[in-house]
Amino acid sequence: MLLHTVSSFLPGISHRLSDVEECQLSECEMGDGDSPLPRSSSTSDITQQITDTFPGQKRNESVSESSSTRKRESDAPTILIRRSSSPADLDYPADGAPAFLKIKLREKSESVSSETSNGYLNDAEVGLLAWHAVEEEPDSPSTHDMSMSATVDTVSQRSLLLSHTEALADSSEFLADDISIIAGGSLTGWHADSAFVLWRRILGILGDVNSIRCARIHAKVFSYLYELWHKLAKIRDNLGIRVDADTAVARPLFIPPLRMLASWLFKATMLPAEFKAGKLQAYKLICEMMTKHQDVLPNSDFLVHLYHVMHKGFTSDDQDVLNTMIRWCSPRFFFLGLPGFTMLVGDFITAAARVLNTDSFEAPRIEAQTVLGSLVCFPNLYQQIPSLQSVPGSEDIVVGKEDMKDYLVNILLKTARNETCEGARCVAICSLGLWVCEELRQTETHHQVKDAINVLGVTLKFGNKVVANVACDIFQLLISHWQHLQRLDPSLPKRIIEIFVATIAFLLPSAEHSTVEADKKLMVSLLLCLLDWCMAVPLSILLEPITMPVLDDPASQKAPLLDYIYRVLHTCVSGSNLHTQQSHYLLSLADLSTDYEPFLTLGNVKSFEPSPIHNVMGDFGNLLTVAEEKKRRSLELIPLTARMLMTHLVNHLGHHPLSGGPALLNSLISENHDNPYVESSELSSEVFKSPNLQLFVFNDSTLVSYLQIPSDSSSTAQVSANPRDHSSEVRVIVRDISGKYSWDGGVLFRTLDGTGLSLGGSRDQLSHDATHSVRFSKCSSELEVEDGVDVLDQLLEDLGHSSPECLPQLQLRLTQPPSPPIGMNPEMEGLIMDAIHRQAKQEDEELVRRQTEDPSVRAERQREPTLHEPKSPFFLCRLLLNDLGMNSWDRRKSFHLLKKNSKLLRELKNLDSSQCRETHKIAMFYIGEGQEDKCSILSNTEGSQAYEDFVSGLGWEVNLATHCGFMGGLQRNGSTGSTAPYYATSNVEAIFHVSTRMPSDSDDSITKKLRHLGNDEVHIVWSEHTRDYRRGIIPTDFGDVLIIIYPIKNHMFFVQIMKKTQVPFFGPLFDGAIVTGTLLPSLVRATCINASRAVKSRLPLYQSLYPSRLR
């Protein structure tokens, strides 16, 4: 009946009681005919029962109030009027208030009923439709100031409850043309205020619904009240929403009273056990009511009753009550930040732990784990969190203080190991990862951080691959905190890498032969995470020996960690059976250090995912030929990823980023650059006509281009100083699965200074005739002697001393002339000598004459050969190929010359255009206060300081005009902005399309901005609006994942994640997480990348980066 009446007042809403409901209602009225239901004009019984449950909170009612109450019960239905708090509370400007807001009602304190004494009921009705039309008196404080203060002025906060006759009696003073007659004015007809007053009176006909004796009818009424409240909440959510871009939105003058039913709900929680169904509905509505945005904060009197009821619900022995509280009281309760809400943190933790300890799978396990995960940052922010504690043996409640961190961490460690629900286990793993990141930022790190890392490491080999992938994502997140891990324990980063190496070796035998796609995807995730860890930590860590040396093999104690990394990668490529006979070739889990428990017991989970649909084409797989089957097996994901990792480590380990920055990973050089035979600035068919270029394929996996180009003119200016033998160089361009690389090289015969032989100058210089140069240098050094010494005399002296038997006479040396022959005197000797000299002189003169007169006698002079440039434009390339052994017979089977045609050109362009890293583009929106339409949001050119700090933490700003990395569709001409946040590692690139960075000075620019932002699959929404962000504000068919960030007090942020149903779970952030500002950028960036991967994984025929490059 109530919903039917309300539906008649609210457009577009209809409700009709069924025949069964009417019969049940009439049956209940007939059964209880002796005690009719009291009217709702007085709720003193409600107030009295609830007040009795709070020691020291009873109110003393005056005689005048009692008499006034009795008088009203006999009069006509009463009108509840509350004074407005402030212009800010009414949501319209002070100077623009309507005329009827200037009407003042005279306060009649003597006519305050018992409903006025129920403080929470009065404040809850601050949003009553007609009652916002009354202006606040100047001397009364604002409701906001009163709600934030510890004391409550009951006189200034009370509402006025005037009877209809009293309101009419004072009509001479208060009647106005803007208020209907039923509301105390003079306006006739059907209006909003008259509709509300009539609806409020009809609601009062029900009286105190908690006096209904039939438990079934009581539960039915509360279910109707639940539907009624949801209709009011929907009305509130749709107030002030712009229908189109041209109409202006007026601030709402009337706000539905969402806390109007609080008194009934509070009293219902105190009913006996037979009213359990109604109590559960009441608890459910209380939770939803207090997790919704409050237009006006409740006063302290209301909060006292609320916290008491919630404490009773959290500590209830009834498991159904506990489940209801946890299911419907989401972490939004902490997001609202009501005064004193931290007193219930302990109750939330205890209640969530009790829900998770049950064996029932119908319990709200995911909601309970979400509550625990949302509180991981609170213990460090609130060092001593106050909590409500019940006194044993009494109903009194005291406020105590205790350290919640140990209590919360122990629960997280337990649930991360033993939770049986797959979704709850994933949230537990994410919560544990968030807590580790939070602790690593603290000055004093908690002693259980290593235990948490142990649990995460063991989860990597968990049987449920979804949970194991989430643990892998957490380790991916910890890469950005490796320095904090090293500060905690210098060997901790190396141990984490060892855990990955041992886990991959442990899972490989089963994964490589598995037909389940999830097994192979997990192995790929582990391999990629291992790559990121190796590229993040310094090379010196990888060159250290493993933490726990293998005692059986002394030689392995000296093997560095990098050696074991290459071993496990080689095993992934060649197969696990290749090295099973070699002892300790791979690092096993048992070889890890003693402070890590690799075989920690983990509880199983129950997965309720639908079984995969049988592929009707799968039966035809047996029809493949042997060659095709071998080719298909060779292209398996695990060996391919391992090959990519080895290539990536060889090319980039130890020297990334390059001098060009992290945006530049591979070469930008193509075959048309520096080519004298090509004039085109792009790769075209003209390149294939140049005679200095040939393309080869090596091992069916690497494309190699050999190009002969002119050498640098600066190095050939002086021929005498040029160590190269030719004025040309060889350029080698290599394209493989990991990227594109370019090298320049020339033939060398000596170094620049000509005294030694060492490679220098170009990156790939080749030495020529090195052995001959070394031999020549050595012979020259042996012939060096002192000047002025006769070598023959020196030799004869040495022979005379070393071999005296060679002397003709003992007294003579070999260097002395012998005595003249016998029979020859000195005169004869002189004549003979003269004759010899004359003959020699004549011969010389004749020779000179012949040489001058007869040229044929002279020998031709031998001239030094000069340098001749080879006429072939591919000569040096061919020489290099031969020196490298590519022309040998044993290499001919794996090295082939490619035919240059249009198909090859198309494939080259396609290969160069494909990214060598995983790329993601993410949209970023800023929503200011009061912005609820597309145009106002897209017109923002700047945001708050907190927003700008967050954007700067997502990545570094790059100039789009000169940026050489992933652009994500942004233009270099400035039409999409001049800068953008960009983040890159050696394996991932991400660019953020920030709405405030793009121009919005015209309709065309806004359309272009919406095109770029709306087409992204992941959206980040920074909302500083008081109302929740609605998905349809930015119309787009994309936006599969929305990550909405709401700033709250104490520099913390509430994260809401909205995703399409087909998108699988991703982390590390989850819906309802509350994190600090220091962790927010890195967590959101990691979550966006994982969300983008999750969205792409659901695309049909989607192929990851490296298989597509290989293809």
Side-chain angles (χ1 to χ4, degrees):
M1 182 184 299
L2 176 62
L3 287 180
H4 177 72
T5 307
V6 175
S7 301
S8 64
F9 299 149
L10 301 177
I13 301 177
S14 61
H15 182 80
R16 181 180 180 274
L17 292 176
S18 63
D19 297 338
V20 177
E21 292 170 344
E22 292 178 355
C23 294
Q24 291 176 352
L25 184 60
S26 60
E27 178 184 351
C28 184
E29 291 175 351
M30 293 176 59
D32 299 336
D34 298 336
S35 14
L37 298 177
R39 300 176 63 87
S40 66
S41 57
S42 176
T43 57
S44 59
D45 52 345
I46 304 176
T47 307
Q48 184 64 29
Q49 293 187 24
I50 297 181
T51 307
D52 291 341
T53 62
F54 289 81
Q57 296 293 332
K58 296 182 179 180
R59 297 172 179 243
N60 296 325
E61 304 292 340
S62 61
V63 178
S64 60
E65 290 175 342
S66 302
S67 60
S68 176
T69 302
R70 287 192 298 271
K71 179 180 179 181
R72 282 189 197 81
E73 290 179 353
S74 59
D75 291 338
T78 57
I79 305 174
L80 180 63
I81 302 179
R82 187 193 185 282
R83 296 180 303 158
S84 173
S85 299
S86 64
D89 295 335
L90 296 176
D91 287 341
Y92 25 69
D95 54 350
F100 72 91
L101 296 181
K102 301 299 182 180
I103 303 174
K104 297 184 179 180
L105 296 180
R106 183 178 58 196
E107 180 179 2
K108 297 185 177 183
S109 58
E110 68 277 2
S111 65
V112 176
S113 70
S114 59
E115 186 169 355
T116 305
S117 65
N118 195 358
Y120 50 79
L121 182 62
N122 298 328
D123 249 359
E125 294 182 346
V126 68
L128 297 183
L129 297 178
W131 317 141
H132 269 296
V134 185
E135 186 186 20
E136 180 187 22
E137 294 185 3
D139 57 348
S140 62
S142 65
T143 305
H144 178 71
D145 296 334
M146 290 186 295
S147 63
M148 298 302 293
S149 61
T151 60
V152 180
D153 187 355
T154 57
V155 177
S156 61
Q157 281 191 327
R158 284 189 304 198
S159 301
L160 301 179
L161 192 62
L162 303 179
S163 66
H164 184 60
T165 56
E166 289 174 341
L168 294 179
D170 296 334
S171 61
S172 60
E173 299 182 34
F174 303 110
L175 291 181
D177 296 337
D178 303 80
I179 303 177
S180 61
I181 295 178
I182 197 171
S186 60
L187 188 63
T188 60
W190 189 252
H191 302 282
D193 55 350
S194 58
F196 172 76
V197 172
L198 183 59
W199 170 79
R200 182 68 178 84
R201 292 182 178 180
I202 294 176
L203 182 64
I205 294 175
L206 293 178
D208 183 8
V209 295
N210 291 300
S211 299
I212 299 177
R213 300 178 182 179
C214 179
R216 180 170 51 84
I217 299 300
H218 179 269
K220 196 69 173 178
V221 169
F222 270 86
S223 65
Y224 288 153
L225 292 179
Y226 181 79
E227 297 179 16
L228 169 65
W229 182 87
H230 267 279
K231 293 183 183 297
L232 295 176
K234 183 178 293 186
I235 294 173
R236 178 65 186 97
D237 290 339
N238 288 277
L239 287 179
I241 296 179
R242 180 180 297 183
V243 180
D244 50 44
D246 299 329
T247 59
V249 178
R251 294 181 178 271
L253 300 179
F254 307 122
I255 300 176
L258 299 183
R259 295 201 301 262
M260 183 182 62
L261 305 175
S263 59
W264 286 348
L265 301 177
F266 290 166
K267 183 178 179 181
T269 61
M270 309 299 175
L271 295 178
E274 56 266 21
F275 294 90
K276 180 178 179 178
K279 291 174 62 176
L280 295 179
Q281 289 284 350
Y283 276 118
K284 178 180 177 181
L285 186 51
I286 289 174
C287 293
E288 292 202 43
M289 179 177 64
M290 297 316 299
T291 53
K292 192 171 183 62
H293 175 73
Q294 308 293 310
D295 293 294
V296 178
L297 290 178
N299 58 20
S300 57
D301 195 20
F302 178 88
L303 294 177
V304 169
H305 291 78
L306 172 67
Y307 292 163
H308 178 265
V309 170
M310 295 184 69
H311 175 73
K312 289 294 185 182
F314 284 133
T315 58
S316 174
D317 296 332
D318 191 340
Q319 188 64 38
D320 293 333
V321 173
L322 199 62
N323 292 344
T324 301
M325 293 290 293
I326 292 297
R327 188 186 303 275
W328 299 104
C329 196
S330 65
R332 291 186 60 87
F333 180 80
F334 312 124
F335 159 56
L336 296 178
L338 298 176
F341 77 98
T342 54
M343 290 191 298
L344 294 177
V345 169
D347 291 338
F348 271 96
I349 297 176
T350 304
R354 290 176 56 190
V355 170
L356 295 173
N357 285 333
T358 60
D359 297 332
S360 174
F361 205 78
E362 286 74 18
R365 312 189 73 87
I366 298 179
E367 291 82 356
Q369 192 58 60
T370 303
V371 169
L372 294 176
S374 64
L375 295 173
V376 294
C377 296
F378 277 72
N380 290 328
L381 183 63
Y382 303 97
Q383 298 296 331
Q384 294 292 333
I385 300 180
S387 60
L388 298 179
Q389 301 175 356
S390 301
V391 178
S394 66
E395 295 184 356
D396 295 338
I397 300 176
V398 296
V399 178
K401 293 183 178 181
E402 58 179 333
D403 188 8
M404 295 290 180
K405 182 184 292 188
D406 291 339
Y407 183 40
L408 176 61
V409 171
N410 290 328
I411 296 175
L412 289 177
L413 290 173
K414 180 180 178 181
T415 55
R417 290 178 52 189
N418 302 320
E419 175 56 42
T420 57
C421 175
E422 179 182 285
R425 178 75 75 90
C426 293
V427 177
I429 295 296
C430 292
S431 304
L432 200 59
L434 296 185
W435 177 77
V436 171
C437 295
E438 170 68 15
E439 284 301 311
L440 292 176
R441 290 282 184 173
Q442 304 301 316
T443 305
E444 297 182 1
T445 309
H446 199 270
H447 65 279
Q448 290 182 298
V449 169
K450 293 184 180 180
D451 296 336
I453 295 178
N454 194 349
V455 173
L456 295 173
V458 174
T459 310
L460 292 175
K461 61 181 181 62
F462 189 55
N464 187 287
K465 306 308 177 184
V466 177
V467 178
N469 263 309
V470 174
C472 184
D473 293 340
I474 297 300
F475 278 107
Q476 190 85 35
L477 172 66
L478 292 179
I479 295 177
S480 59
H481 302 275
W482 74 267
Q483 293 177 332
H484 298 90
L485 292 169
Q486 193 177 37
R487 185 191 63 185
L488 176 63
D489 187 350
S491 63
L492 197 52
K494 185 174 65 173
R495 276 191 236 167
I496 292 178
I497 298 178
E498 292 174 357
I499 292 173
F500 271 87
V501 173
T503 304
I504 292 173
F506 177 80
L507 296 176
L508 180 60
S510 59
E512 64 180 354
H513 301 294
S514 175
T515 58
V516 181
E517 185 180 7
D519 296 340
K520 298 185 181 298
K521 287 186 175 181
L522 175 61
M523 287 294 297
V524 171
S525 300
L526 294 176
L527 290 170
L528 294 178
C529 190
L530 174 62
L531 172 63
D532 290 336
W533 270 98
C534 293
M535 297 299 299
V537 301
L539 182 59
S540 58
I541 294 180
L542 301 179
L543 297 179
E544 296 177 0
I546 59 175
T547 305
M548 186 66 179
V550 182
L551 301 180
D552 297 341
D553 188 4
S556 63
Q557 300 180 12
K558 300 179 181 180
L561 177 58
L562 186 59
D563 188 16
Y564 284 96
I565 295 174
Y566 278 112
R567 290 181 187 181
V568 73
L569 294 179
H570 184 262
T571 307
C572 291
V573 175
S574 57
S576 59
N577 297 328
L578 183 63
H579 302 286
T580 53
Q581 303 299 329
Q582 301 183 25
S583 177
H584 301 298
Y585 179 81
L586 299 176
L587 186 65
S588 63
L589 292 174
D591 297 331
L592 300 181
S593 56
T594 55
D595 56 349
Y596 176 76
E597 299 181 27
F599 302 104
L600 194 67
T601 305
L602 299 178
N604 295 325
V605 298
K606 299 178 182 178
S607 177
F608 288 90
E609 293 183 355
S611 57
I613 302 177
H614 179 66
N615 186 8
V616 295
M617 298 298 295
D619 295 335
F620 294 95
N622 297 328
L623 300 179
L624 296 175
T625 62
V626 176
E628 291 173 338
E629 179 67 16
K630 289 183 178 180
K631 183 177 180 180
R632 187 185 66 84
R633 287 182 176 272
S634 65
L635 299 179
E636 286 184 352
L637 199 55
I638 297 176
L640 181 62
T641 306
R643 285 171 51 194
M644 181 275 300
L645 258 67
M646 287 191 289
T647 308
H648 193 98
L649 291 175
V650 170
N651 290 325
H652 304 294
L653 183 61
H655 51 88
H656 178 270
L658 303 175
S659 59
L664 184 62
L665 183 69
N666 296 298
S667 176
L668 303 179
I669 302 297
S670 296
E671 285 78 3
N672 59 300
H673 295 125
D674 301 327
N675 193 339
Y677 298 93
V678 178
E679 297 180 357
S680 176
S681 59
E682 297 181 356
L683 195 63
S684 62
S685 58
E686 184 183 2
V687 174
F688 289 162
K689 298 178 181 179
S690 57
N692 59 337
L693 171 67
Q694 293 295 340
L695 294 96
F696 303 87
V697 60
F698 182 64
N699 286 338
D700 293 334
S701 61
T702 303
L703 186 64
V704 185
S705 298
Y706 285 88
L707 177 67
Q708 185 169 317
I709 59 175
S711 61
D712 192 2
S713 59
S714 62
S715 62
T716 59
Q718 297 180 357
V719 179
S720 60
N722 181 24
R724 292 183 175 87
D725 200 11
H726 302 281
S727 61
S728 299
E729 294 180 350
V730 177
R731 174 168 293 173
V732 182
I733 302 176
V734 181
R735 297 177 177 91
D736 61 5
I737 187 176
S738 63
K740 178 182 178 182
Y741 312 97
S742 180
W743 296 79
D744 286 349
V747 179
L748 297 182
F749 66 94
R750 60 181 174 84
T751 58
L752 293 176
D753 54 4
T755 58
L757 289 173
S758 60
L759 290 179
S762 63
R763 298 179 61 183
D764 187 21
Q765 296 171 340
L766 305 177
S767 62
H768 184 65
D769 291 341
T771 306
H772 173 73
S773 300
V774 173
R775 185 181 300 113
F776 176 79
S777 177
K778 182 177 180 182
C779 295
S780 299
S781 62
E782 292 178 352
L783 295 175
E784 293 179 359
V785 295
E786 297 182 5
D787 296 337
V789 177
D790 191 347
V791 179
L792 180 57
D793 289 345
Q794 185 74 28
L795 178 59
L796 293 175
E797 287 286 346
D798 293 340
L799 288 176
H801 288 289
S802 61
S803 301
E805 67 274 6
C806 296
L807 296 177
Q809 297 179 10
L810 295 179
Q811 293 80 8
L812 297 178
R813 295 180 298 175
L814 293 178
T815 57
Q816 294 179 351
S819 60
I822 301 174
M824 181 180 292
N825 55 23
E827 290 81 6
M828 294 179 62
E829 183 178 1
L831 293 174
I832 295 174
M833 292 295 296
D834 292 338
I836 293 175
H837 285 300
R838 284 195 303 269
Q839 181 67 26
K841 184 178 180 181
Q842 291 177 2
E843 291 176 358
D844 292 339
E845 291 176 355
E846 181 66 17
L847 179 61
V848 171
R849 188 185 63 79
R850 294 282 302 273
Q851 289 179 350
T852 56
E853 296 179 0
D854 188 2
S856 63
V857 178
R858 297 195 305 268
E860 184 179 0
R861 180 182 300 177
Q862 183 66 39
R863 299 183 182 275
E864 180 183 357
T866 59
L867 175 64
H868 293 279
E869 288 289 338
K871 296 182 180 180
S872 172
F874 197 72
F875 171 77
L876 294 180
C877 296
R878 184 169 65 250
L879 180 61
L880 176 60
L881 286 171
N882 184 72
D883 292 342
L884 295 178
M886 295 300 177
N887 291 335
S888 60
W889 287 105
D890 55 345
R891 293 290 183 88
R892 292 297 298 275
K893 296 181 180 179
S894 58
F895 193 72
H896 305 282
L897 179 66
L898 294 178
K899 184 178 180 180
K900 294 182 287 188
N901 51 24
S902 59
K903 181 179 180 181
L904 177 60
L905 178 63
R906 183 174 62 252
E907 294 299 330
L908 284 178
K909 289 183 177 181
N910 184 31
L911 190 61
D912 290 345
S913 62
S914 63
Q915 299 293 332
C916 300
R917 285 181 283 188
E918 186 180 3
T919 57
H920 306 277
K921 54 177 185 170
I922 301 162
M924 178 74 199
F925 297 90
Y926 172 77
I927 300 178
E929 176 63 35
Q931 295 180 342
E932 293 194 11
D933 62 286
K934 175 184 64 177
C935 292
S936 61
I937 294 174
L938 295 179
S939 299
N940 291 324
T941 57
E942 60 181 0
S944 61
Q945 185 61 43
Y947 163 79
E948 296 295 341
D949 294 340
F950 168 73
V951 174
S952 64
L954 291 176
W956 51 90
E957 292 286 335
V958 294
N959 189 354
L960 296 178
T962 58
H963 180 55
C964 58
F966 177 62
M967 296 286 291
L970 299 181
Q971 304 299 319
R972 302 184 186 275
N973 55 11
S975 61
T976 56
S978 58
T979 63
Y982 172 80
Y983 175 81
T985 65
S986 65
N987 192 36
V988 174
E989 284 184 286
I991 194 166
F992 297 87
H993 297 168
V994 182
S995 61
T996 55
R997 300 286 195 274
M998 299 182 180
S1000 56
D1001 49 358
S1002 63
D1003 294 340
D1004 181 66
S1005 60
I1006 291 181
T1007 303
K1008 183 177 293 186
K1009 179 189 294 189
L1010 180 60
R1011 185 183 303 118
H1012 282 282
L1013 297 172
N1015 289 340
D1016 293 342
E1017 297 163 338
V1018 180
H1019 293 177
I1020 305 174
V1021 180
W1022 180 284
S1023 177
E1024 296 179 0
H1025 189 31
T1026 54
R1027 291 206 290 187
D1028 293 347
Y1029 176 78
R1030 292 176 290 107
R1031 188 181 187 91
I1033 291 180
I1034 305 297
T1036 175
D1037 293 335
F1038 298 92
D1040 300 72
V1041 176
L1042 301 180
I1043 302 176
I1044 311 168
I1045 304 170
Y1046 299 97
I1048 57 180
K1049 61 182 182 179
N1050 296 326
H1051 198 56
M1052 299 185 73
F1053 299 87
F1054 178 79
V1055 180
Q1056 180 185 11
I1057 296 180
M1058 304 169 60
K1059 64 183 183 67
K1060 295 182 179 180
T1061 55
Q1062 64 268 24
V1063 179
F1065 183 89
F1066 56 87
L1069 288 176
F1070 49 88
D1071 186 23
I1074 299 177
V1075 296
T1076 58
T1078 56
L1079 293 177
L1080 184 66
S1082 61
L1083 291 175
V1084 171
R1085 181 179 62 238
T1087 305
C1088 289
I1089 293 176
N1090 292 333
S1092 180
R1093 291 170 176 167
V1095 172
K1096 293 177 181 178
S1097 67
R1098 306 298 297 177
L1099 297 177
L1101 303 178
Y1102 172 74
Q1103 199 170 23
S1104 59
L1105 173 65
Y1106 298 103
S1108 62
R1109 282 190 62 87
L1110 184 66
R1111 179 176 55 86

